[in-house]
Amino acid sequence: MKYFYTLIFIITSALNSYASDPDSLYLAQHYTKAEYEVPMRDGARLYTVVYSPKDQSVAYPVLFNRTPYGVPPYGDDMGFSFRRGLFPQFLKEGFIFVFQDVRGRFMSDGVFRHMTPFIENKTKNTDVDESSDAWDTIDWLVKNIKNNNGKVGMWGISYPGYYSSCAAINAHPALVCISPQAPIGDWFFDDMHHHGAFFLAANFDFIALMDLPRHKKQTDWLQPWSFETPDGYSFFSTLEPLSKIKSTYFGDSIAFWNEVIQHPNYDAFWQERNILPHLKNIKPAMLVVGGWYDAEDLYGTFHTYQSIEKNNPKANSSIVIGPWIHGGWARTDGSYLGNVSFGAKNSEYYRDSIELPFFNYYLKGKGNLKLAEATMFMTGENKWKKFEQWPPKNIAMTNLYLSSGGSVSIGTPGQNTSNFDEYTSDPQKPVPYIEDIAFGMTKEYMTDDQRFAARRPDVLVYSTRVLDNDVVLAGPLTAHIKVSTSGSDADFIVKLIDLYPVNTPNNPSTRPKMEMSEYQQMIRSEVIRGRFRQGYDHAVPFKPGEITEVNLELQDVLHNFKKGHRIMIQIQSTWFPLVDLNPQKFVDNIFFARPEDFIKANIRVYHSAENPSYITAGVLK
């Protein structure tokens, strides 16, 4: 059996025969389809499919999506997937929908490059990137597609979100609004690595699927390997050290994997693929969208918004963050994730009250758009909140201090009777990232119950007393921990957890054999490869036994820890197979570590007055 075609399923599941799908039937009845090879300035031609309303009594704006994931069905068949980010109401509103295979993918000319480096000063026709390809396509569309009103909007989720960000730079005059949704921003910090630690379970699947060489244009996904087991913990254990991936599966056929393993640091290879510094001269209205539980591109979502705001002080931009997984606003109703309920179909609120009004207003001049600067879903309380800025003005910064006896003190350090806590981290028996059996990265892991981890001797657990009042944490979180190790390298995973009271009832989404009583809901979690504690462009070993500070950005949050709950913090050094294994002995490149490099390490986390460990957070007033 094949256990890792999630990406293919997401893209193609909605592309069934329109005869059995009322939305696709509506598309066939009210739209015509045309296919084009749109010329770029360097002569390459990009496959582009256009769905135009049959009713030609009014001119329509263009909604444009660029993707590396294919735009089936190819040929005469009608139908497109609403899982790309729109929803059926857009069909009835009436737009000209345009989908394009990016350069080098499926039916388009050229060579595909991951996160194509942006060319700042284009002086000749061969200077092409994703920004120029978007510009050339939009110019062609407004000049050649009949009955368009001269206005274009773009959107995209994940990789297509990155392409929409690229189009915003020195945008074509017809491009008036863009919605980058869960956009990749800086790929070293988004999907591929988290603070230098390689996200194994997600990227092994992705690279295996995306990067099989294309020998000719194609309309179907190439079929990679079958891995035969649903147990990722077991499977990936056999691929450590990671040099086994190439020798066992990839060989030299997956060129991008060969590049990834040669660049473990944040060097020029990754830096030139960072689009964030180039988000300048932004003229279109921008609506950045993401989910609190986006395991792939939450970094890209927040940093795309922050870069637009920083580089374009007068930009018309806003941000929306809901209780969603990666792309969940288009692919789920947003009412729950895993065992955690969010009280309502929050995706409908976003679609009806934000997304459609945004495009209608800028592309059709329809309605009175009154978007807040930041529309954010407060988890824990399960309510939408609007803010004049993000992070909010009305927050007071505080520290959550680790203390002896497994306690957390808010604001002031607790009384310590010991200077540190200690655990042994063993790469041969790593802490699993989930309790269940799964092959890749599960969509629910960011809200999963953490009791299974808390019971392990290689996980440190700290918590506050029962809260007398609600505590709302808002904005960025940063962990500052003082550590030492008997080895010369180590990873550090920090988890912020909402510990439910014993009398918490189950909810409709609570799975069988699970109890919400004393549930340990993960709110935020992040990992740092300790060798990068002084900078991601260079690795520095630990000196065994020496106390060292490690700082870790946990990303933003808006969560209400309710009265009667407790705030919990967990710290560990393995998180498998979500994150690859650190040998814990310093080597130049972990991708080429040898079996004998993997050693046990005794790790200490300090919480004394001289060496405090804490999380800095904003408390909403």
Side-chain angles (χ1 to χ4, degrees), residues 269-567:
F269 174 81
W270 295 108
Q271 292 171 24
E272 68 178 5
R273 284 164 171 76
N274 178 7
I275 196 63
L276 299 174
H278 304 292
L279 294 176
K280 303 173 182 177
N281 193 27
I282 305 295
K283 303 295 183 174
M286 304 293 290
L287 176 65
V288 181
V289 181
W292 290 122
Y293 307 109
D294 185 345
E296 297 168 60
D297 295 314
L298 186 58
Y299 178 97
T301 300
F302 276 111
H303 284 77
T304 294
Y305 170 73
Q306 292 164 3
S307 295
I308 293 170
E309 290 286 296
K310 178 182 177 181
N311 298 333
N312 309 270
K314 296 182 180 180
N316 180 5
S317 63
S318 56
I319 186 170
V320 178
I321 305 290
W324 300 307
I325 59 169
H326 188 63
W329 49 95
R331 299 160 187 166
T332 73
D333 66 12
S335 62
Y336 73 97
L337 178 59
N339 297 301
V340 178
S341 173
F342 303 124
K345 295 182 178 180
N346 293 288
S347 298
E348 292 182 2
Y349 167 78
Y350 159 73
R351 296 167 187 168
D352 295 338
S353 301
I354 299 175
E355 185 180 49
L356 184 58
F358 173 79
F359 285 114
N360 268 339
Y361 181 80
Y362 289 107
L363 296 176
K364 294 187 173 186
K366 182 178 178 180
N368 295 311
L369 189 66
K370 296 181 180 180
L371 286 182
E373 177 70 19
T375 304
M376 319 294 273
F377 188 85
M378 182 184 290
T379 55
E381 188 172 333
N382 290 345
K383 289 184 179 180
W384 287 97
K385 303 289 184 178
K386 296 182 179 181
F387 299 93
E388 296 178 358
Q389 67 177 53
W390 188 264
K393 291 180 180 179
N394 55 330
I395 57 174
M397 301 307 296
T398 192
N399 294 329
L400 307 176
Y401 288 96
L402 306 187
S403 300
S404 59
S407 64
V408 172
S409 302
I410 303 176
T412 57
Q415 296 295 319
N416 284 304
T417 57
S418 62
N419 291 330
F420 61 84
D421 293 307
E422 186 173 23
Y423 58 93
T424 299
S425 177
D426 184 355
Q428 300 300 320
K429 296 181 180 179
V431 180
Y433 83 101
I434 55 172
E435 188 172 17
D436 299 327
I437 298 297
F439 186 84
M441 181 175 66
T442 66
K443 63 183 180 181
E444 303 90 357
Y445 92 86
M446 293 182 78
T447 61
D448 273 351
D449 183 23
Q450 297 301 301
R451 278 176 283 199
F452 76 95
R455 295 171 181 139
R456 289 183 56 117
D458 48 359
V459 177
L460 300 182
V461 181
Y462 305 86
S463 65
T464 64
R465 297 177 179 177
V466 174
L467 298 175
D468 295 327
N469 300 287
D470 290 3
V471 176
V472 178
L473 299 187
L477 302 169
T478 304
H480 309 270
I481 56 175
K482 298 290 184 64
V483 300
S484 67
T485 175
S486 63
S488 50
D489 200 359
D491 290 350
F492 293 95
I493 296 94
V494 179
K495 298 184 287 190
L496 178 70
I497 293 165
D498 187 340
L499 175 54
Y500 289 23
V502 69
N503 61 353
T504 303
N506 291 342
N507 61 63
S509 64
T510 304
R511 69 182 187 184
K513 298 183 180 180
M514 173 57 68
E515 295 293 334
M516 302 308 289
S517 171
E518 298 187 290
Y519 192 85
Q520 296 179 12
Q521 182 193 339
M522 195 156 68
I523 304 301
R524 267 290 161 266
S525 57
E526 195 53 278
V527 57
I528 185 170
R529 185 133 286 169
R531 59 174 50 209
F532 296 121
R533 66 195 179 279
Q534 296 180 14
Y536 297 101
D537 59 344
H538 65 287
V540 178
F542 288 83
K543 293 181 180 179
E546 182 175 283
I547 300 175
T548 304
E549 183 170 5
V550 174
N551 299 312
L552 172 59
E553 179 187 334
L554 296 177
Q555 306 213 52
D556 290 29
V557 69
L558 181 62
H559 183 79
N560 189 346
F561 293 84
K562 303 290 286 184
K563 177 181 177 181
H565 290 228
R566 288 189 283 172
I567 300 173

Side-chain angles (χ1 to χ4, degrees), residues 210-230:
M210 280 287 291
D211 290 281
L212 284 170
R214 185 185 77 156
H215 300 295
K216 61 180 181 179
K217 292 181 180 180
Q218 63 195 62
T219 59
D220 295 314
W221 287 85
L222 298 173
Q223 297 298 305
W225 302 269
S226 173
F227 301 118
E228 302 299 335
T229 175

